[in-house]
Amino acid sequence: MNEALLRELVPAVIGILVRRGADFAAAEDAVQEALIRALETWPDDPPRDAKGWLVAVAWRKFLDAARAETSRRGRELAVEDEPEAGPVPGTDDSLWLYFLCAHPSLSPGSAVALTLRAAGGLTTKQIATAYLVPEATMAQRISRAKKRIAGQSLNQPGDLATVLRVLYLVFNEGYSGDLDLAAEAIRLTRQLAAATDAPEVAGLLALMLLHHARRASRTGPAGDLIPLAQQDRTRWDTTLIAEGVDILQTALARDLLGEYQAQAAIAALHADAPSTEETDWVQIVEWYDELLALTDSPVVRLNRAVAIGEADGAPAGLAALADLDPNLPRHTAVRAYLNERAGNLEQAAALYVEASRAATNLPERDHLTREAARIHRTLNP
């Protein structure tokens, strides 16, 4: 693409826009946006008439900006004309908003992504990480979802499964410590459980409660990450655990197993164990088998490999891990842990360093770095 030609055309294009009625500053802005579009598209699809193309695109950009400014001024005038604020009813429409964002015209994946962005408060990067896709891919998915429902009536709520998925991901993001969303996700799931007797809603609520019960023990005073095996179990909230187990048992009695019930069953086995060594790992592997049959998720396969390593020994866990994509998030960290359990300390230390470089948040990175340093001290006392 001839960038010199672009620079030569800019004054002429600005002049044409001004003659059509645009003020000079607005014309400059519109032409700048047209140039950006040209840099994106011309290398693959150069126009026959470069000047005509720039004029057409810049004029559309100017019109879009003018319409947006008119709309903004209209909204400001409408606000000025509104009556004084008065008392409002004590209602909470948050859960209903989740259902509305999960619009029936969207695919489940697009509906979840849009709801997480619009109603869940998550960034595009956080959503992309949860879905194991590049941030640019997720940004395009959300953009397409917005365009698809633009102009449509939002009085048709989405399906329950999509809303459950959104609540699950919002809770996970809050539970990671990046955003304080876990309590809000639990609150909304309680509302949903009160409104429906679906076993999977109960399963999701039980799962949240059982995980939230451990939250106080998951980080140290300086915010450092404490893995499950090293957590002070006396700090676990036994009231939340008891509530979660009771809700789970009631749901499982319905004999309509779903993925959230299976995950909650695994969390309940961890909560019931006095220590890592006394955990019923064999039963946990069996629940992972059930969960894998329901989801066929690579993350479930990864966690199952860890459980196999605990139940049948580290070599068995490494064998299960060998079948998985090494680019899977946390794959390297799991390899490091299982190699350490197998006695391969030098390899484990190197893998902990590698995993720390790929960590998606600071607490996880620092934890993996400390694990590598601990093994190095063992090897070099």
Side-chain angles (χ1 to χ4, degrees):
M1 179 174 58
N2 193 332
E3 295 187 16
L5 173 63
L6 281 176
R7 287 194 293 271
E8 291 175 6
L9 291 173
V10 165
V13 175
I14 291 176
I16 291 172
L17 264 63
V18 170
R19 288 194 295 274
R20 288 186 178 183
D23 63 74
F24 188 82
E28 275 192 321
D29 291 342
V31 172
Q32 288 297 322
E33 291 195 37
L35 290 175
I36 293 172
R37 183 64 179 158
L39 291 171
E40 293 173 346
T41 61
W42 283 17
D44 298 323
D45 185 22
R48 288 191 296 270
D49 180 2
K51 181 178 178 181
W53 188 98
L54 282 174
V55 170
V57 173
W59 184 246
R60 285 199 300 270
K61 295 290 185 183
F62 166 74
L63 291 178
D64 289 344
R67 292 189 191 103
E69 177 64 15
T70 300
S71 297
R72 183 188 65 80
R73 290 176 180 172
R75 289 193 297 270
E76 290 177 350
L77 292 173
V79 169
E80 291 177 2
D81 292 338
E82 287 181 355
E84 292 280 337
V88 297
T91 58
D92 179 5
D93 293 330
S94 300
L95 186 58
W96 182 240
L97 179 60
Y98 275 61
F99 274 94
L100 292 181
C101 285
H103 198 271
S105 68
L106 300 175
S107 68
S110 295
V112 170
L114 178 62
T115 312
L116 287 170
R117 188 72 184 91
L122 273 63
T123 65
T124 303
K125 182 177 181 180
Q126 289 167 329
I127 302 169
T129 300
Y131 269 86
L132 311 180
V133 299
E135 183 177 354
T137 300
M138 183 54 65
Q140 291 175 354
R141 186 180 301 177
I142 294 172
S143 178
R144 286 195 299 267
K146 289 179 179 178
K147 291 178 181 177
R148 186 171 182 83
I149 65 172
Q152 294 193 37
S153 173
L154 291 180
N155 59 359
Q156 294 178 277
D159 71 315
L160 178 62
T162 299
V163 173
L164 287 179
R165 182 67 177 166
V166 173
L167 290 169
Y168 172 73
L169 292 174
V170 170
F171 175 81
N172 279 348
E173 192 60 46
Y175 189 65
S176 73
D178 294 334
L179 291 171
D180 190 14
L181 295 169
E184 174 67 2
I186 290 175
R187 185 183 72 84
L188 294 175
T189 307
R190 284 190 186 279
Q191 288 184 9
L192 191 56
T196 178
D197 64 349
E200 272 294 79
V201 177
L204 179 58
L205 178 57
L207 175 64
M208 290 179 175
L209 295 174
L210 289 164
H211 277 306
H212 207 58
R214 304 204 308 257
R215 186 167 189 175
S217 65
R218 293 185 74 249
T219 54
D224 48 310
L225 187 66
I226 302 176
L228 177 63
Q230 300 170 22
Q231 289 176 15
D232 180 359
R233 300 188 179 216
T234 64
R235 299 186 66 197
W236 290 1
D237 189 327
T238 55
T239 301
L240 284 182
I241 290 173
E243 183 186 3
V245 169
D246 183 61
I247 292 171
L248 173 63
Q249 289 175 340
T250 302
L252 291 175
R254 302 276 299 277
D255 198 23
L256 295 169
L257 185 64
E259 62 174 300
Y260 301 120
Q261 295 170 73
Q263 288 189 59
I266 294 169
L269 288 168
H270 283 301
D272 186 56
S275 66
T276 301
E277 295 74 21
E278 297 171 89
T279 302
D280 190 344
W281 288 106
V282 172
Q283 192 173 353
I284 286 178
V285 172
E286 292 174 354
W287 275 111
Y288 272 122
D289 289 340
E290 294 279 0
L291 187 55
L292 198 57
L294 291 165
T295 66
D296 194 28
S297 162
V299 175
V300 172
R301 291 183 184 276
L302 185 71
N303 292 332
R304 179 178 176 273
V306 176
I308 289 174
E310 299 289 353
D312 300 328
L318 286 168
L321 193 65
D323 296 331
L324 302 182
D325 182 356
N327 294 318
L328 190 65
R330 294 186 58 248
H331 185 282
T332 306
V334 170
R335 278 182 63 206
Y337 173 74
L338 290 174
N339 271 283
E340 181 183 357
R341 292 289 307 276
N344 307 323
L345 297 187
E346 290 188 2
Q347 186 174 2
L351 286 169
Y352 275 128
V353 171
E354 182 182 343
S356 71
R357 295 184 182 130
T360 57
N361 60 69
L362 184 60
E364 183 181 1
R365 186 190 70 188
D366 290 348
H367 166 70
L368 293 168
T369 302
R370 287 194 300 271
E371 293 295 278
R374 174 180 56 79
I375 295 178
H376 278 302
R377 288 193 298 269
T378 301
L379 293 170
N380 306 284

